[in-house]
Amino acid sequence: MTFVQTTHGADFFGQDTHTAKAVRDLAGYARGCLPYDVREPLARLLESAGTSAETTIPAAEAATLADHLRTVASHRFTKAKAAKVARLLGDSAARAAAEGEPWTWTTTPNG
């Protein structure tokens, strides 16, 4: 199983770990919950989860993604499990943006 570990997470070490599948599954919710002009960059990022060793997202872009992920998390059609992943990703993106640091996703073979 492949996992995606994000910086600026909620655990003691400042990381969050999600299965790559759970992150990729959010792309469908993003496409259903967000307007066309903003959903595709987020959906493409989510779909690429676990396909590269590391992805670095600049702080300014992380701030925008945080807003979109939180919208996905709070949408009435987003199921609870997916909403939790979207919320955690949105929160870590927001922390990265607030600190002016890049938000990094690292692919690991096990959690």
Side-chain angles (χ1 to χ4, degrees):
M1 185 175 283
T2 304
F3 293 86
V4 176
Q5 192 173 60
T6 62
T7 59
H8 301 86
D11 78 358
F12 179 77
F13 300 105
Q15 301 172 335
D16 282 334
T17 303
H18 310 281
T19 65
K21 182 185 181 326
V23 176
R24 285 192 302 264
D25 288 348
L26 287 177
Y29 288 104
R31 286 194 171 102
C33 300
L34 298 171
Y36 180 79
D37 58 333
V38 298
R39 70 180 172 213
E40 284 310 308
L42 175 59
R44 283 192 298 274
L45 173 66
L46 295 169
E47 287 173 338
S48 73
T51 61
S52 62
E54 187 171 287
T55 303
T56 302
I57 299 148
E61 187 178 341
T64 301
L65 293 174
D67 290 339
H68 298 326
L69 284 161
R70 288 173 171 168
T71 299
V72 170
S74 64
H75 196 276
R76 64 184 175 147
F77 293 124
T78 304
K79 294 189 178 190
K81 218 173 187 180
K84 180 179 179 182
V85 174
R87 183 180 43 78
L88 288 170
L89 287 171
D91 290 350
S92 65
R95 280 191 287 278
E99 294 174 15
E101 297 176 354
W103 186 38
T104 305
W105 294 20
T106 305
T107 300
T108 59
N110 53 20

